[in-house]
Amino acid sequence: MNLEEKQISTQRVYDGALLKVNKDQIELPNKNTTIREYFNHPGASCVVALTDDNKVVIERQFRYPFHSIITELPAGKLDKGEDPLVAAKRELKEETGYTAKRWTYMGDFYPSVAYTDENIRLYLAQDLTLEEQHLDDDEFVEVELIDFQELVNMVMQGKIKDGKSIAAILKADKIIS
């Protein structure tokens, strides 16, 4: 069965600093046409930074859409043309002050396939060294170390709600177990 949808035309209906919104006219597999609206996103990287004593570097920060402090892993969007591993290293250093000597790519994560083309690359960082944190002017982040197994338990108990963090923690659990 053919499931592919084909773009007929595209229109940028919003061009923001982070998000771009496209409205595409598409042809369905049955030859009918319809509209698909989606956020165009540059992509991001997410890091499970694991210390030698099996603790994970996590962040707590206020996330405006949920009006709540969210526990999550270090992550951030790619700069234009930036390699995802370079972004992962940059975000880990800027947000937490940590650098890592060993990096393992754990796969891609699509946070919402229905309305965004965002692709988050997941990495495991090991052999960590703590240096100096360099937050952006609009970033306010509390950094903490949590035992890896406790963090996995927090995911399973629903205490971690951030999708990229859940995916990366569970993938890392399979890799290091």
Side-chain angles (χ1 to χ4, degrees), residues 138-153:
D138 63 348
E139 282 184 307
F140 301 90
V141 175
E142 181 180 276
V143 177
E144 185 179 336
L145 297 176
I146 295 183
D147 178 77
F148 183 73
Q149 196 53 56
E150 180 183 339
L151 192 60
V152 171
N153 291 340

mmCIF file with all atom_site columns, all heavy atoms in Angstrom, residues 138-153:
data_model
loop_
_atom_site.group_PDB
_atom_site.id
_atom_site.type_symbol
_atom_site.label_atom_id
_atom_site.label_alt_id
_atom_site.label_comp_id
_atom_site.label_asym_id
_atom_site.label_entity_id
_atom_site.label_seq_id
_atom_site.pdbx_PDB_ins_code
_atom_site.Cartn_x
_atom_site.Cartn_y
_atom_site.Cartn_z
_atom_site.occupancy
_atom_site.B_iso_or_equiv
_atom_site.pdbx_formal_charge
_atom_site.auth_seq_id
_atom_site.auth_comp_id
_atom_site.auth_asym_id
_atom_site.auth_atom_id
_atom_site.pdbx_PDB_model_num
ATOM 1   N N   . ASP A 1 138 ? 19.241 34.612 28.851 1.00 0.00 ? 138 ASP A N   1
ATOM 2   C CA  . ASP A 1 138 ? 17.835 34.285 29.147 1.00 0.00 ? 138 ASP A CA  1
ATOM 3   C C   . ASP A 1 138 ? 17.658 32.881 29.722 1.00 0.00 ? 138 ASP A C   1
ATOM 4   O O   . ASP A 1 138 ? 16.549 32.370 29.784 1.00 0.00 ? 138 ASP A O   1
ATOM 5   C CB  . ASP A 1 138 ? 16.972 34.461 27.889 1.00 0.00 ? 138 ASP A CB  1
ATOM 6   C CG  . ASP A 1 138 ? 17.367 33.517 26.767 1.00 0.00 ? 138 ASP A CG  1
ATOM 7   O OD1 . ASP A 1 138 ? 18.442 32.866 26.852 1.00 0.00 ? 138 ASP A OD1 1
ATOM 8   O OD2 . ASP A 1 138 ? 16.602 33.426 25.795 1.00 0.00 ? 138 ASP A OD2 1
ATOM 9   N N   . GLU A 1 139 ? 18.757 32.245 30.149 1.00 0.00 ? 139 GLU A N   1
ATOM 10  C CA  . GLU A 1 139 ? 18.685 30.900 30.732 1.00 0.00 ? 139 GLU A CA  1
ATOM 11  C C   . GLU A 1 139 ? 18.897 30.960 32.244 1.00 0.00 ? 139 GLU A C   1
ATOM 12  O O   . GLU A 1 139 ? 19.841 31.592 32.721 1.00 0.00 ? 139 GLU A O   1
ATOM 13  C CB  . GLU A 1 139 ? 19.773 29.986 30.143 1.00 0.00 ? 139 GLU A CB  1
ATOM 14  C CG  . GLU A 1 139 ? 19.473 29.448 28.785 1.00 0.00 ? 139 GLU A CG  1
ATOM 15  C CD  . GLU A 1 139 ? 20.548 28.479 28.329 1.00 0.00 ? 139 GLU A CD  1
ATOM 16  O OE1 . GLU A 1 139 ? 21.743 28.828 28.352 1.00 0.00 ? 139 GLU A OE1 1
ATOM 17  O OE2 . GLU A 1 139 ? 20.186 27.361 27.927 1.00 0.00 ? 139 GLU A OE2 1
ATOM 18  N N   . PHE A 1 140 ? 18.026 30.267 32.959 1.00 0.00 ? 140 PHE A N   1
ATOM 19  C CA  . PHE A 1 140 ? 18.135 30.153 34.411 1.00 0.00 ? 140 PHE A CA  1
ATOM 20  C C   . PHE A 1 140 ? 17.958 28.679 34.731 1.00 0.00 ? 140 PHE A C   1
ATOM 21  O O   . PHE A 1 140 ? 16.847 28.151 34.643 1.00 0.00 ? 140 PHE A O   1
ATOM 22  C CB  . PHE A 1 140 ? 17.080 31.019 35.105 1.00 0.00 ? 140 PHE A CB  1
ATOM 23  C CG  . PHE A 1 140 ? 17.214 32.471 34.730 1.00 0.00 ? 140 PHE A CG  1
ATOM 24  C CD1 . PHE A 1 140 ? 16.528 32.981 33.640 1.00 0.00 ? 140 PHE A CD1 1
ATOM 25  C CD2 . PHE A 1 140 ? 18.054 33.301 35.447 1.00 0.00 ? 140 PHE A CD2 1
ATOM 26  C CE1 . PHE A 1 140 ? 16.663 34.311 33.277 1.00 0.00 ? 140 PHE A CE1 1
ATOM 27  C CE2 . PHE A 1 140 ? 18.199 34.635 35.092 1.00 0.00 ? 140 PHE A CE2 1
ATOM 28  C CZ  . PHE A 1 140 ? 17.502 35.139 34.007 1.00 0.00 ? 140 PHE A CZ  1
ATOM 29  N N   . VAL A 1 141 ? 19.054 28.005 35.053 1.00 0.00 ? 141 VAL A N   1
ATOM 30  C CA  . VAL A 1 141 ? 19.079 26.554 35.171 1.00 0.00 ? 141 VAL A CA  1
ATOM 31  C C   . VAL A 1 141 ? 19.693 26.151 36.502 1.00 0.00 ? 141 VAL A C   1
ATOM 32  O O   . VAL A 1 141 ? 20.747 26.669 36.888 1.00 0.00 ? 141 VAL A O   1
ATOM 33  C CB  . VAL A 1 141 ? 19.911 25.936 34.016 1.00 0.00 ? 141 VAL A CB  1
ATOM 34  C CG1 . VAL A 1 141 ? 20.053 24.438 34.180 1.00 0.00 ? 141 VAL A CG1 1
ATOM 35  C CG2 . VAL A 1 141 ? 19.297 26.269 32.662 1.00 0.00 ? 141 VAL A CG2 1
ATOM 36  N N   . GLU A 1 142 ? 19.044 25.242 37.200 1.00 0.00 ? 142 GLU A N   1
ATOM 37  C CA  . GLU A 1 142 ? 19.601 24.637 38.411 1.00 0.00 ? 142 GLU A CA  1
ATOM 38  C C   . GLU A 1 142 ? 20.129 23.260 38.017 1.00 0.00 ? 142 GLU A C   1
ATOM 39  O O   . GLU A 1 142 ? 19.383 22.441 37.466 1.00 0.00 ? 142 GLU A O   1
ATOM 40  C CB  . GLU A 1 142 ? 18.500 24.509 39.458 1.00 0.00 ? 142 GLU A CB  1
ATOM 41  C CG  . GLU A 1 142 ? 18.966 23.913 40.757 1.00 0.00 ? 142 GLU A CG  1
ATOM 42  C CD  . GLU A 1 142 ? 17.810 23.814 41.742 1.00 0.00 ? 142 GLU A CD  1
ATOM 43  O OE1 . GLU A 1 142 ? 17.535 24.824 42.405 1.00 0.00 ? 142 GLU A OE1 1
ATOM 44  O OE2 . GLU A 1 142 ? 17.182 22.735 41.811 1.00 0.00 ? 142 GLU A OE2 1
ATOM 45  N N   . VAL A 1 143 ? 21.398 23.005 38.264 1.00 0.00 ? 143 VAL A N   1
ATOM 46  C CA  . VAL A 1 143 ? 22.042 21.742 37.892 1.00 0.00 ? 143 VAL A CA  1
ATOM 47  C C   . VAL A 1 143 ? 22.168 20.861 39.124 1.00 0.00 ? 143 VAL A C   1
ATOM 48  O O   . VAL A 1 143 ? 22.499 21.342 40.208 1.00 0.00 ? 143 VAL A O   1
ATOM 49  C CB  . VAL A 1 143 ? 23.438 22.002 37.273 1.00 0.00 ? 143 VAL A CB  1
ATOM 50  C CG1 . VAL A 1 143 ? 24.145 20.696 36.944 1.00 0.00 ? 143 VAL A CG1 1
ATOM 51  C CG2 . VAL A 1 143 ? 23.319 22.877 36.027 1.00 0.00 ? 143 VAL A CG2 1
ATOM 52  N N   . GLU A 1 144 ? 21.916 19.580 38.940 1.00 0.00 ? 144 GLU A N   1
ATOM 53  C CA  . GLU A 1 144 ? 21.994 18.619 40.045 1.00 0.00 ? 144 GLU A CA  1
ATOM 54  C C   . GLU A 1 144 ? 22.477 17.277 39.505 1.00 0.00 ? 144 GLU A C   1
ATOM 55  O O   . GLU A 1 144 ? 22.297 16.971 38.332 1.00 0.00 ? 144 GLU A O   1
ATOM 56  C CB  . GLU A 1 144 ? 20.607 18.460 40.673 1.00 0.00 ? 144 GLU A CB  1
ATOM 57  C CG  . GLU A 1 144 ? 20.578 17.583 41.895 1.00 0.00 ? 144 GLU A CG  1
ATOM 58  C CD  . GLU A 1 144 ? 19.179 17.471 42.496 1.00 0.00 ? 144 GLU A CD  1
ATOM 59  O OE1 . GLU A 1 144 ? 18.354 18.371 42.280 1.00 0.00 ? 144 GLU A OE1 1
ATOM 60  O OE2 . GLU A 1 144 ? 18.927 16.457 43.175 1.00 0.00 ? 144 GLU A OE2 1
ATOM 61  N N   . LEU A 1 145 ? 23.067 16.493 40.371 1.00 0.00 ? 145 LEU A N   1
ATOM 62  C CA  . LEU A 1 145 ? 23.453 15.119 40.031 1.00 0.00 ? 145 LEU A CA  1
ATOM 63  C C   . LEU A 1 145 ? 22.472 14.170 40.711 1.00 0.00 ? 145 LEU A C   1
ATOM 64  O O   . LEU A 1 145 ? 22.217 14.299 41.908 1.00 0.00 ? 145 LEU A O   1
ATOM 65  C CB  . LEU A 1 145 ? 24.872 14.811 40.505 1.00 0.00 ? 145 LEU A CB  1
ATOM 66  C CG  . LEU A 1 145 ? 25.994 15.637 39.881 1.00 0.00 ? 145 LEU A CG  1
ATOM 67  C CD1 . LEU A 1 145 ? 27.326 15.279 40.527 1.00 0.00 ? 145 LEU A CD1 1
ATOM 68  C CD2 . LEU A 1 145 ? 26.056 15.434 38.391 1.00 0.00 ? 145 LEU A CD2 1
ATOM 69  N N   . ILE A 1 146 ? 21.939 13.225 39.939 1.00 0.00 ? 146 ILE A N   1
ATOM 70  C CA  . ILE A 1 146 ? 21.004 12.231 40.472 1.00 0.00 ? 146 ILE A CA  1
ATOM 71  C C   . ILE A 1 146 ? 21.520 10.846 40.092 1.00 0.00 ? 146 ILE A C   1
ATOM 72  O O   . ILE A 1 146 ? 21.936 10.619 38.945 1.00 0.00 ? 146 ILE A O   1
ATOM 73  C CB  . ILE A 1 146 ? 19.578 12.428 39.922 1.00 0.00 ? 146 ILE A CB  1
ATOM 74  C CG1 . ILE A 1 146 ? 19.011 13.762 40.400 1.00 0.00 ? 146 ILE A CG1 1
ATOM 75  C CG2 . ILE A 1 146 ? 18.657 11.286 40.329 1.00 0.00 ? 146 ILE A CG2 1
ATOM 76  C CD1 . ILE A 1 146 ? 17.582 14.035 39.985 1.00 0.00 ? 146 ILE A CD1 1
ATOM 77  N N   . ASP A 1 147 ? 21.483 9.922  41.041 1.00 0.00 ? 147 ASP A N   1
ATOM 78  C CA  . ASP A 1 147 ? 21.875 8.542  40.787 1.00 0.00 ? 147 ASP A CA  1
ATOM 79  C C   . ASP A 1 147 ? 21.118 8.008  39.571 1.00 0.00 ? 147 ASP A C   1
ATOM 80  O O   . ASP A 1 147 ? 19.903 8.211  39.449 1.00 0.00 ? 147 ASP A O   1
ATOM 81  C CB  . ASP A 1 147 ? 21.579 7.686  42.018 1.00 0.00 ? 147 ASP A CB  1
ATOM 82  C CG  . ASP A 1 147 ? 21.924 6.236  41.787 1.00 0.00 ? 147 ASP A CG  1
ATOM 83  O OD1 . ASP A 1 147 ? 23.120 5.900  41.822 1.00 0.00 ? 147 ASP A OD1 1
ATOM 84  O OD2 . ASP A 1 147 ? 20.983 5.453  41.516 1.00 0.00 ? 147 ASP A OD2 1
ATOM 85  N N   . PHE A 1 148 ? 21.837 7.343  38.672 1.00 0.00 ? 148 PHE A N   1
ATOM 86  C CA  . PHE A 1 148 ? 21.238 6.899  37.410 1.00 0.00 ? 148 PHE A CA  1
ATOM 87  C C   . PHE A 1 148 ? 20.012 6.011  37.635 1.00 0.00 ? 148 PHE A C   1
ATOM 88  O O   . PHE A 1 148 ? 18.967 6.218  37.010 1.00 0.00 ? 148 PHE A O   1
ATOM 89  C CB  . PHE A 1 148 ? 22.266 6.176  36.534 1.00 0.00 ? 148 PHE A CB  1
ATOM 90  C CG  . PHE A 1 148 ? 21.696 5.781  35.210 1.00 0.00 ? 148 PHE A CG  1
ATOM 91  C CD1 . PHE A 1 148 ? 21.448 6.728  34.235 1.00 0.00 ? 148 PHE A CD1 1
ATOM 92  C CD2 . PHE A 1 148 ? 21.389 4.459  34.947 1.00 0.00 ? 148 PHE A CD2 1
ATOM 93  C CE1 . PHE A 1 148 ? 20.900 6.373  33.014 1.00 0.00 ? 148 PHE A CE1 1
ATOM 94  C CE2 . PHE A 1 148 ? 20.847 4.095  33.726 1.00 0.00 ? 148 PHE A CE2 1
ATOM 95  C CZ  . PHE A 1 148 ? 20.603 5.051  32.758 1.00 0.00 ? 148 PHE A CZ  1
ATOM 96  N N   . GLN A 1 149 ? 20.109 5.031  38.518 1.00 0.00 ? 149 GLN A N   1
ATOM 97  C CA  . GLN A 1 149 ? 18.964 4.144  38.733 1.00 0.00 ? 149 GLN A CA  1
ATOM 98  C C   . GLN A 1 149 ? 17.783 4.886  39.352 1.00 0.00 ? 149 GLN A C   1
ATOM 99  O O   . GLN A 1 149 ? 16.631 4.619  39.022 1.00 0.00 ? 149 GLN A O   1
ATOM 100 C CB  . GLN A 1 149 ? 19.347 2.933  39.594 1.00 0.00 ? 149 GLN A CB  1
ATOM 101 C CG  . GLN A 1 149 ? 18.336 1.810  39.530 1.00 0.00 ? 149 GLN A CG  1
ATOM 102 C CD  . GLN A 1 149 ? 18.016 1.371  38.092 1.00 0.00 ? 149 GLN A CD  1
ATOM 103 O OE1 . GLN A 1 149 ? 18.881 1.009  37.320 1.00 0.00 ? 149 GLN A OE1 1
ATOM 104 N NE2 . GLN A 1 149 ? 16.745 1.422  37.722 1.00 0.00 ? 149 GLN A NE2 1
ATOM 105 N N   . GLU A 1 150 ? 18.074 5.847  40.216 1.00 0.00 ? 150 GLU A N   1
ATOM 106 C CA  . GLU A 1 150 ? 17.001 6.683  40.775 1.00 0.00 ? 150 GLU A CA  1
ATOM 107 C C   . GLU A 1 150 ? 16.320 7.476  39.652 1.00 0.00 ? 150 GLU A C   1
ATOM 108 O O   . GLU A 1 150 ? 15.092 7.621  39.637 1.00 0.00 ? 150 GLU A O   1
ATOM 109 C CB  . GLU A 1 150 ? 17.561 7.636  41.831 1.00 0.00 ? 150 GLU A CB  1
ATOM 110 C CG  . GLU A 1 150 ? 16.510 8.533  42.455 1.00 0.00 ? 150 GLU A CG  1
ATOM 111 C CD  . GLU A 1 150 ? 17.091 9.521  43.460 1.00 0.00 ? 150 GLU A CD  1
ATOM 112 O OE1 . GLU A 1 150 ? 18.195 9.287  43.974 1.00 0.00 ? 150 GLU A OE1 1
ATOM 113 O OE2 . GLU A 1 150 ? 16.417 10.534 43.714 1.00 0.00 ? 150 GLU A OE2 1
ATOM 114 N N   . LEU A 1 151 ? 17.106 7.962  38.690 1.00 0.00 ? 151 LEU A N   1
ATOM 115 C CA  . LEU A 1 151 ? 16.553 8.720  37.564 1.00 0.00 ? 151 LEU A CA  1
ATOM 116 C C   . LEU A 1 151 ? 15.673 7.821  36.691 1.00 0.00 ? 151 LEU A C   1
ATOM 117 O O   . LEU A 1 151 ? 14.586 8.226  36.272 1.00 0.00 ? 151 LEU A O   1
ATOM 118 C CB  . LEU A 1 151 ? 17.686 9.337  36.744 1.00 0.00 ? 151 LEU A CB  1
ATOM 119 C CG  . LEU A 1 151 ? 17.301 10.381 35.719 1.00 0.00 ? 151 LEU A CG  1
ATOM 120 C CD1 . LEU A 1 151 ? 16.606 11.576 36.366 1.00 0.00 ? 151 LEU A CD1 1
ATOM 121 C CD2 . LEU A 1 151 ? 18.543 10.842 34.949 1.00 0.00 ? 151 LEU A CD2 1
ATOM 122 N N   . VAL A 1 152 ? 16.110 6.601  36.445 1.00 0.00 ? 152 VAL A N   1
ATOM 123 C CA  . VAL A 1 152 ? 15.272 5.638  35.699 1.00 0.00 ? 152 VAL A CA  1
ATOM 124 C C   . VAL A 1 152 ? 13.971 5.404  36.449 1.00 0.00 ? 152 VAL A C   1
ATOM 125 O O   . VAL A 1 152 ? 12.884 5.395  35.846 1.00 0.00 ? 152 VAL A O   1
ATOM 126 C CB  . VAL A 1 152 ? 16.028 4.306  35.463 1.00 0.00 ? 152 VAL A CB  1
ATOM 127 C CG1 . VAL A 1 152 ? 15.100 3.235  34.892 1.00 0.00 ? 152 VAL A CG1 1
ATOM 128 C CG2 . VAL A 1 152 ? 17.229 4.519  34.539 1.00 0.00 ? 152 VAL A CG2 1
ATOM 129 N N   . ASN A 1 153 ? 14.051 5.234  37.762 1.00 0.00 ? 153 ASN A N   1
ATOM 130 C CA  . ASN A 1 153 ? 12.840 5.055  38.575 1.00 0.00 ? 153 ASN A CA  1
ATOM 131 C C   . ASN A 1 153 ? 11.926 6.272  38.483 1.00 0.00 ? 153 ASN A C   1
ATOM 132 O O   . ASN A 1 153 ? 10.693 6.135  38.411 1.00 0.00 ? 153 ASN A O   1
ATOM 133 C CB  . ASN A 1 153 ? 13.199 4.763  40.031 1.00 0.00 ? 153 ASN A CB  1
ATOM 134 C CG  . ASN A 1 153 ? 13.843 3.414  40.216 1.00 0.00 ? 153 ASN A CG  1
ATOM 135 O OD1 . ASN A 1 153 ? 13.717 2.524  39.374 1.00 0.00 ? 153 ASN A OD1 1
ATOM 136 N ND2 . ASN A 1 153 ? 14.568 3.247  41.305 1.00 0.00 ? 153 ASN A ND2 1
#
